[in-house]
């Protein structure tokens, strides 16, 4: 079986029909477990106190904000190179989910920053690049809805996605590129000495898994809706011609 | 059962409440869109098969 088989809308719809509900249930299980574990049973941090509980929302949502754009970039490149409509529609479907994740990361970051930094917002490299990423999501969604021809909209939004990828990358590596600002470096590391304690790490990993699965479930559900809408437009055009 | 959130109870509660609202809105909108488009396609296909 080739991955390109899923470029066929009929094949995509038939395959994903069986996946969406189980994925939502699995996401609910992981999110429920990870967030309840982190909120009720994980200890306070010796310096940040109980605010460390915000990590179980902030880190996964920030990760998905960036990864969502990366997924849109891959789908957009497939559209630009191979002209598969499903990939363009998948990129369109992922944008509102990425926007929600970015908003959640900005919101939880502000609420966490206020007691720790004494400020809701700072023009710190990572915060600023995340705000720009948020604006790119808004621009991407606005561009899709402002162009009537779907193929032209897919072309233009794909180009915007390629340009915006610079900011998606910047928001991930801003702390490393500019060693300034208030935001700390990455909480998760493969280096055992740098990584956070297992007491925080384990519920965080379960929560991240929940966010990833929820993202996949939402993108599949929304892509199916976009494919159906495309079919409706084609049938309405046929009605008008006949 | 409820952990002692100390001086930061408001911030932690606000972060969780706001995040749940965002999650519920995006899930709710996606499910509503899915139902609406399915109904619309069914109607359009029925109309086309009748014609």
């Amino acid at each position: 079986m080739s991955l390109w088989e899923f470029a066929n809308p009929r094949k995509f719809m038939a395959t994903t029909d069986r996946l969406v509900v189980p994925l939502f249930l699995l996401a609910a299980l992981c999110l429920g477990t990870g967030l309840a574990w982190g909120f009720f049973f994980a200890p306070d941090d010796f310096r940040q106190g109980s605010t460390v509980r915000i990590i179980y929302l902030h880190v996964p949502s920030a990760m998905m904000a960036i990864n969502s754009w990366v997924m849109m970039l891959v789908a957009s490149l497939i559209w630009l190179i191979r002209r598969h409509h499903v990939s363009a529609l998948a990129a369109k479907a992922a944008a509102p989910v990425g926007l929600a994740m970015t908003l959640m990361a900005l919101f939880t970051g502000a609420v966490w920053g206020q007691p720790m930094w004494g400020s809701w917002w700072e023009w710190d490299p990572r915060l600023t690049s995340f705000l720009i990423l948020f604006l790119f999501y808004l621009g991407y969604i606005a561009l899709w809805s402002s162009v009537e021809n779907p193929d032209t909209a897919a072309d233009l939004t794909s180009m915007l996605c390629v340009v915006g990828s610079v900011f998606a990358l910047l928001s991930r590596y801003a702390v490393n590129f500019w060693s300034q600002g208030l935001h700390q470096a990455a909480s998760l590391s493969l280096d055992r000495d740098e990584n956070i304690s297992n007491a925080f790490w384990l519920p965080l990993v379960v929560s991240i898994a929940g966010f990833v699965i929820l993202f996949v479930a939402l993108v599949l559900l929304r892509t199916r809706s976009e494919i159906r809408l495309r079919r409706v437009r084609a049938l309405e055009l046929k009605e008008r011609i006949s | 059962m409820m952990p002692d959130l100390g001086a930061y109870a408001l911030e932690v509660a606000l972060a969780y409440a706001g995040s749940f609202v965002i999650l519920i809105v995006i899930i709710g909108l996606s499910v509503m869109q899915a139902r609406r488009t399915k109904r619309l396609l069914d109607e359009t296909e029925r109309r086309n098969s009748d014609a």
Side-chain angles (χ1 to χ4, degrees), chain A residues 6-20:
Chain A
F6 296 101
N8 179 337
R10 204 175 287 270
K11 171 83 179 171
F12 181 90
M13 293 296 276
T15 310
T16 56
D17 189 35
R18 297 184 297 267
L19 288 175
V20 173

Side-chain angles (χ1 to χ4, degrees), chain A residues 149-164:
Chain A
N149 183 304
D151 284 5
T152 311
D155 284 339
L156 293 173
T157 52
S158 295
M159 292 312 295
L160 181 68
C161 190
V162 173
V163 175

Side-chain angles (χ1 to χ4, degrees), chain A residues 8-227:
Chain A
N8 179 337
R10 204 175 287 270
K11 171 83 179 171
F12 181 90
M13 293 296 276
T15 310
T16 56
D17 189 35
R18 297 184 297 267
L19 288 175
V20 173
V21 173
L23 281 173
F24 269 113
L25 292 176
L26 191 59
L29 180 70
C30 287
L31 276 176
T33 307
L35 293 178
W37 187 354
F39 188 86
F40 292 107
F41 305 111
D44 285 0
D45 180 66
F46 78 105
R47 204 176 286 162
Q48 303 186 63
S50 63
T51 61
V52 74
R53 286 174 171 78
I54 299 175
I55 200 174
Y56 308 109
L57 295 164
H58 181 70
V59 170
S61 59
M63 282 178 77
M64 291 320 298
I66 299 168
N67 292 340
S68 172
W69 195 274
V70 173
M71 177 254 147
M72 285 161 58
L73 173 68
V74 172
S76 298
L77 289 175
I78 291 173
W79 163 254
L80 287 173
I81 297 165
R82 297 190 66 146
R83 312 302 282 179
H84 291 318
H85 285 99
V86 172
S87 67
L89 296 177
K92 182 185 181 187
V97 186
L99 179 76
M101 295 294 167
T102 314
L103 181 64
M104 196 190 293
L106 286 169
F107 173 73
T108 52
V111 174
W112 198 356
Q114 209 286 327
M116 293 299 106
W117 301 339
S119 170
W120 297 96
W121 180 261
E122 285 295 320
W123 294 103
D124 163 287
R126 177 164 276 185
L127 274 65
T128 309
S129 55
F130 249 88
L131 180 64
I132 296 172
L133 182 64
F134 179 75
L135 296 176
F136 260 97
Y137 272 117
L138 285 179
Y140 180 92
I141 293 167
L143 189 55
W144 258 110
S145 52
S146 64
V147 181
E148 203 173 335
N149 183 304
D151 284 5
T152 311
D155 284 339
L156 293 173
T157 52
S158 295
M159 292 312 295
L160 181 68
C161 190
V162 173
V163 175
S165 301
V166 175
F167 290 95
L169 268 178
L170 272 184
S171 50
R172 170 67 183 85
Y173 295 105
V175 177
N176 307 50
F177 290 160
W178 296 280
S179 301
Q180 61 184 49
L182 288 170
H183 200 286
Q184 68 180 65
S187 304
L188 297 175
S189 169
L190 293 175
D191 185 333
R192 212 179 157 80
D193 294 331
E194 281 187 16
N195 202 16
I196 56 173
S197 156
N198 275 355
F200 306 111
W201 185 77
L202 291 172
L204 180 57
V205 167
V206 179
S207 186
I208 288 171
F211 271 82
V212 171
I213 299 166
L214 178 66
F215 172 77
V216 174
L218 281 171
V219 171
L220 288 182
L221 181 71
R222 297 183 70 91
T223 307
R224 290 169 59 81
S225 299
E226 293 297 339
I227 290 171

Side-chain angles (χ1 to χ4, degrees), chain A residues 24 35 39-41 44 48 50-51 53-54 56-57 96-97 100-101 103-104 107-108 111 114-116 214 218 221-222 225-226 228-229 231-232 235-236 238-239, chain B residues 1-20 22-23 26-27 29-31 33-35 37-38 40-42 44-45 47-48:
Chain A
F24 269 113
L35 293 178
F39 188 86
F40 292 107
F41 305 111
D44 285 0
Q48 303 186 63
S50 63
T51 61
R53 286 174 171 78
I54 299 175
Y56 308 109
L57 295 164
V97 186
M101 295 294 167
L103 181 64
M104 196 190 293
F107 173 73
T108 52
V111 174
Q114 209 286 327
M116 293 299 106
L214 178 66
L218 281 171
L221 181 71
R222 297 183 70 91
S225 299
E226 293 297 339
R228 285 192 178 116
L229 268 181
R231 173 88 179 131
V232 166
L235 287 173
E236 284 176 347
K238 197 174 130 195
E239 276 175 359
Chain B
M1 181 71 179
M2 189 69 187
D4 178 17
L5 300 176
Y8 304 123
L10 181 66
E11 285 83 356
V12 177
L14 187 62
Y16 274 78
S19 298
F20 284 140
I22 294 170
L23 281 180
I26 188 66
I27 293 170
L29 286 176
S30 303
V31 170
Q33 184 202 30
R35 285 184 181 163
T37 52
K38 188 172 185 326
L40 187 63
L41 180 60
D42 289 345
T44 316
E45 280 181 335
R47 222 171 37 234
N48 266 262

